């Protein structure tokens, strides 16, 4: 089973950064950082990746990396 939490942490410039955390039931575990696509942000697909990583007995940290500007970009048109 996987425990999930959404929280924030203070960046080096004081900006609050959103963070999704998935932790295995065992509690303490090595951590992996999963980043999102430039246009996606913390969507269900990234949360699902976090849970999959966590099933391998790793803690998963998914920060919203574009907090300081925009969290989304327009998808390229084809």
């Amino acid at each position: 089973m996987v425990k999930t939490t959404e929280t924030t942490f203070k960046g080096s410039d004081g900006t609050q950064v959103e963070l999704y955390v998935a932790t295995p039931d065992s509690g303490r575990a090595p951590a992996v950082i999963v980043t999102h696509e430039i246009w996606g942000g913390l969507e269900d697909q990234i949360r699902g990746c976090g849970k999959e990583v966590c099933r391998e007995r790793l803690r998963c940290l998914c920060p919203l990396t574009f907090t300081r500007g925009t969290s989304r970009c327009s998808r390229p048109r084809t």
Side-chain angles (χ1 to χ4, degrees):
M1 189 155 176
V2 175
K3 177 184 175 188
T4 61
T5 305
E6 296 202 26
T7 187
T8 60
F9 67 92
K10 189 182 289 189
S12 60
D13 66 352
T15 301
Q16 290 295 310
V17 179
E18 292 178 49
L19 180 67
Y20 174 80
V21 181
T23 305
D25 273 349
S26 59
R28 295 184 65 175
V32 173
I33 297 173
V34 173
T35 59
H36 55 80
E37 300 91 352
I38 192 168
W39 54 79
L42 292 177
E43 295 182 344
D44 290 341
Q45 186 264 338
I46 295 300
R47 289 179 178 89
C49 288
K51 288 178 185 176
E52 287 297 317
V53 167
C54 193
R55 288 186 184 103
E56 299 299 322
R57 298 187 184 115
L58 297 167
R59 177 173 292 165
C60 185
L61 309 172
C62 306
L64 180 58
T65 55
F66 297 109
T67 300
R68 288 174 180 86
T70 178
S71 63
R72 300 177 188 269
C73 293
S74 297
R75 289 184 184 254
R77 294 181 187 211
T78 57

